[in-house]
Amino acid sequence: MVHCPNCHLKDLGKIGSSQYYCGRCCIEIVIQGEHLAVFQVEEDGSLSSLDDLFSNEERRIKMEERPQLIQKASGR
């Protein structure tokens, strides 16, 4: 299961095939290969990258999360 790299909430809303939303932090999380891209949702709906606030390790998808992500991405 994908978790929020900021607050570690595991109950994220799914908004696309590889996109999630953390309602606690109001950030969007996108799966890009083996890493997560993190964005702040602005008032006008645009996205601003927050990747520079998190290390590569904090944004890395952990091995135990990968099988579930593959299932979710394939719609199973």
Side-chain angles (χ1 to χ4, degrees):
M1 174 172 281
V2 177
H3 69 278
C4 176
N6 187 48
C7 71
H8 305 288
L9 181 70
K10 291 185 179 181
D11 188 24
L12 300 178
K14 186 168 181 157
I15 58 174
S17 63
S18 61
Q19 297 173 295
Y20 297 86
Y21 182 77
C22 178
R24 184 182 292 165
C25 299
C26 299
I27 61 174
E28 187 171 320
I29 300 151
V30 180
I31 299 170
Q32 294 181 332
E34 295 184 4
H35 287 88
L36 303 173
V38 185
F39 299 94
Q40 177 177 330
V41 181
E42 302 294 345
E43 288 182 14
D44 65 358
S46 64
L47 301 176
S48 299
S49 178
L50 299 176
D51 288 351
D52 59 334
L53 300 178
F54 301 96
S55 69
N56 282 338
E57 186 59 34
E58 289 173 310
R59 296 187 304 110
R60 184 179 315 271
I61 298 172
K62 294 171 180 49
M63 292 299 283
E64 63 271 11
E65 295 174 342
R66 288 190 183 144
Q68 293 173 344
L69 293 176
I70 291 168
Q71 283 183 326
K72 286 183 181 181
S74 66
R76 294 186 215 162

